[in-house]
Amino acid sequence: MDYYEAIRTKIRNSVRYPLEPWNRGIEGLARIRFSLSPAGGLTEVRLISSTRNIYLDRAALKSVREAAPFPPFPHDLRKSIKRLHCKTGICFQRE
């Protein structure tokens, strides 16, 4: 598994659909921007595109926060950057 896939997997495993929107059939996609330190620590997380539901937006941000810490940067990445900026989408969809 590559470094970026490890990050995606940790976030995906931390996503929890809030009960209120689930019960009401509310779905949405939140876009999140976050930054990591070389040690894998979360240095910033913010919502860049809303689901238009405060409960889903909060749950998306919480998913990234609870997934931290992430794995440390791979050696080749650590040599070239001091902070990694990432974007991800978190989809809340009843299937």
Side-chain angles (χ1 to χ4, degrees), residues 1-2 4 11 13-14 16 19 24 29-31 34-35 39 55 58 65-66 68 89 91 93-94:
M1 176 182 319
D2 77 349
Y4 300 102
I11 293 171
N13 290 340
S14 70
R16 301 290 177 263
L19 191 57
R24 294 177 54 206
L29 172 66
R31 301 284 302 161
F34 61 99
S35 301
Y55 298 110
R58 287 178 182 167
R65 288 185 187 111
E66 289 187 352
C91 184
Q93 185 174 16
R94 293 179 55 166

Side-chain angles (χ1 to χ4, degrees), residues 17-18 21-22 26-30 51 53-61 92:
Y17 208 128
W22 172 267
I26 298 171
E27 299 179 333
L29 172 66
T51 62
N53 180 277
I54 193 163
Y55 298 110
L56 295 180
D57 290 346
R58 287 178 182 167
L61 291 166
F92 296 94

